[in-house]
Amino acid sequence: MTLSLENLINQKISNAFNTLGLDDKYAFVKISDRPDLSDFQCNGALALAKIEHKNPREIATRIQTELEKDNDFSHISIDGPGFINLSLSDDLIARNMDEVAADKRFGVASVAKPKTVVMDFGGPNVAKALHVGHLRSAVIGESIRRIEQFVGNNVISDVHFGDWGTPMGMILSEIIRQDGSLEKVENYTIEDISDFYKKANIRCKEDEAAKENARVITAELQNGNPQYRKAWMHLRKVSVEAVKKNYKELDAHFDLWLGESDAHETCAKIVKIAAKKGVSEVDDGATIVRLEEANKPKPPVILVKSDGGYSYQVTDIATIKMRVDDLKADEIIYVVDKRQSLHFEQVFEVAEKIGIAPHVILKHVGFGTVNGSDGKPFKTRDGGVMNLEDLIALSKEKVRESMPEPDAQYDASYIENLVSEIAIGAIKFQDLKNNSASGYIFELDDFAKFEGKTGPYIQYAIARINSILRKASEVGIRSGKIQISNREERELALKLAQLNSVIMRAHADTEPSILSDYAYTLAQTFSTFYNASSIMNEENKTLASSRLKLAKLVRDVLKLLLQLLGIKAPEVMLKKQ
């Protein structure tokens, strides 16, 4: 049974509809657009009027009369053509808050039928340092992963490492060109490997022979050349170890570290299935699948290139088959740059055509770019792509500027850990406060401020309540039964009551920004409440205990929201005076 106040009101509305013989399909409320008039609004009478062939105000009046028998409603009115405005009693709100505070999930329901959700986010590549473009995939993907887990789904996250395409042949060919062989490969660090890739990339753009040589080596690697395979294994191992450090700092979790190479054998199965289904054809030496072009032109999907190698499209299709067969996926969510939307449309359509993922939901959550102040993708001062590691270092440096000097209570180690939690939290919140599909401007000067819509503002709100709770404990104030005695308490309680619908909407829309918006408004609402509703100086001890319980509930809900966003909540926040 859910403790959601909105669901409770929906049940009361449904009971009234059933008593009146009305279709309870329309028996639901929404948060009022006019909080000065009511807490909730029901528009069911307008829809029922068309079915009943009656005036909607007449139907609304019947519903109003039935609901007025319930003392949990303090006031019910009808507005416009038949909108039913519902105001709740303070007693109902207080009772609901007590129940929510006693519940370990704070009144948030779980999904009715849990499913296995495979999440594909991260997308790093061998020999390439994570750059700012990988930030959004990791941050958005990790938050969605946590939301999926919280609502009760079994989530399996996979980094999907790019380790099998032409870049591998380019690196190997460059190493051979410089060293004469691959004998030194196992001595190379990630910096060495990245340098080889950068040089190979330039060379292949300028020299067709070098490009062809890289293509040949790639094909031989994929066909099992033992010398190339041995070198490739070291390149992959070093690259994985390097990116794991970045993901650890971002607190992004992956259950699987599979790469494109793991799907290689399944690619052959996909080609056979497509041929057997009669959906593939050979065109100019390549095996392709043509797609429907009803709404817009779509290029065909290449399964096998004219040189006999597999395309990255067939690798993704093969990966879908593996996730369905081996992981028993009910849903697969890809958190990838929205500029790849056509690719996923093609891949999903072929997967449907050949029947490898029946009844499995395939979803692409596309995100926009991280931009600089010029509105273009974020760059370093010399015009290069900003490495994620450098971005994190810059962010920590910015936060460090606001930190006090170490002292006996908070030593240098404590402050440095706090710097990390604030900086990473600030980076993540600046990303997650934006709709995923939208690009945003990374403002280094603003993102770590302790005021405004920032991560540190939410962290500071939590730390502030921690301080209130400590001081209350020192003077003997304990949490007690919640009462509603003023407008600010009421508004805070009603804001807290939205938690279930907020989390469920974030889950349904796979949109973490819904949580960040709510966290920010909840923190603001608490600030207004605390300024108007004293705890420490309240003479009425029962009222002080009630307010303390509300404060603790806000603290716990904000901590939950940050946890779902992948952000730490420091016990204490420090800053220069």
Side-chain angles (χ1 to χ4, degrees), residues 66-349:
E66 184 63 29
L67 291 175
E68 284 176 340
K69 299 175 183 177
D70 190 334
N71 292 330
D72 284 338
F73 295 105
S74 62
H75 181 67
I76 303 173
S77 64
I78 300 171
D79 191 29
F83 303 121
I84 305 173
N85 296 315
L86 305 164
S87 296
L88 309 183
S89 71
D90 290 346
D91 183 59
L92 171 63
I93 297 171
R95 293 198 320 265
N96 179 255
M97 284 297 101
D98 277 327
E99 292 173 349
V100 167
D103 180 49
K104 64 181 181 179
R105 293 180 59 83
F106 309 114
V108 180
S110 298
V111 291
K113 295 181 179 179
K115 56 188 176 182
T116 295
V117 179
V118 176
M119 290 200 57
D120 182 322
F121 65 101
N125 296 297
V126 165
K128 292 184 181 180
L130 293 185
H131 56 75
V132 71
H134 291 101
L135 173 67
R136 300 213 73 190
S137 176
V139 170
I140 297 169
E142 176 63 19
S143 181
I144 294 172
R145 184 189 73 81
R146 293 178 182 217
I147 294 168
E148 290 285 344
Q149 277 192 328
F150 185 72
V151 301
N153 286 326
N154 171 40
V155 187
I156 303 170
S157 54
D158 183 8
V159 76
H160 196 63
F161 211 79
D163 65 348
W164 202 234
T166 304
M168 294 308 310
M170 293 165 60
I171 297 167
L172 293 174
S173 66
E174 185 65 21
I175 293 173
I176 293 170
R177 196 194 72 81
Q178 291 191 35
D179 294 349
S181 71
L182 295 171
E183 292 180 3
K184 298 180 183 178
V185 165
E186 295 191 7
N187 297 323
Y188 290 137
T189 65
I190 186 61
E191 290 77 18
D192 297 325
I193 296 167
S194 296
D195 187 56
F196 279 121
Y197 176 72
K198 290 174 184 176
K199 291 177 180 176
N201 195 34
I202 294 171
R203 197 176 309 283
C204 289
K205 288 179 179 178
E206 298 174 347
D207 186 347
E208 279 298 321
K211 184 176 180 180
E212 175 62 18
N213 186 48
R215 186 197 63 76
V216 170
I217 291 177
T218 301
E220 290 187 26
L221 166 68
Q222 295 181 355
N223 289 330
N225 180 300
Q227 181 187 19
Y228 295 156
R229 281 289 178 98
K230 182 180 179 182
W232 165 78
M233 288 178 68
H234 176 74
L235 298 176
R236 188 186 193 284
K237 176 176 177 288
V238 172
S239 296
V240 168
E241 289 173 353
V243 299
K244 276 186 175 181
K245 292 178 183 178
N246 284 145
Y247 285 134
K248 183 178 181 181
E249 188 145 34
L250 285 176
D251 203 12
H253 174 79
F254 296 99
D255 299 298
L256 302 174
W257 283 80
L258 299 177
E260 294 172 344
S261 59
D262 293 288
H264 183 67
E265 292 183 8
T266 308
C267 288
K269 296 179 182 178
I270 295 298
V271 174
K272 288 181 180 178
I273 293 171
K276 187 176 180 180
K277 293 275 187 179
V279 300
S280 63
E281 62 183 86
V282 177
D283 184 348
D284 199 20
T287 303
I288 66 171
V289 176
R290 298 193 187 278
L291 304 178
E292 300 294 331
E293 298 188 9
N295 298 318
K296 63 179 179 179
K298 289 183 187 174
V301 169
I302 300 173
L303 302 181
V304 184
K305 294 180 285 187
S306 57
D307 62 9
Y310 294 125
S311 70
Y312 78 102
Q313 290 173 313
V314 77
T315 299
D316 272 351
I317 297 167
T319 301
I320 289 175
K321 177 172 172 56
M322 294 170 64
R323 288 168 175 167
V324 173
D325 294 349
D326 301 339
L327 305 178
K328 311 303 179 187
D330 299 307
E331 181 174 357
I332 307 175
I333 301 174
Y334 295 82
V335 184
V336 182
D337 191 321
K338 68 179 181 181
R339 289 173 291 189
Q340 294 293 315
S341 60
L342 177 59
H343 166 75
F344 285 107
E345 286 179 30
Q346 293 173 298
V347 166
F348 295 168
E349 188 171 333

Side-chain angles (χ1 to χ4, degrees), residues 3-11 28-31 40 96 497-498 500-502:
L3 302 177
S4 163
L5 186 59
E6 185 174 327
N7 289 350
L8 176 62
I9 303 306
N10 282 338
Q11 187 58 57
F28 58 88
V29 297
K30 68 169 188 171
I31 296 172
F40 293 94
N96 179 255
Q498 295 174 18
N500 177 73
S501 61
V502 165

Side-chain angles (χ1 to χ4, degrees), residues 379-387 390:
K379 301 282 187 181
T380 59
R381 288 180 180 177
D382 61 6
V385 177
M386 174 72 75
N387 281 349
D390 294 336

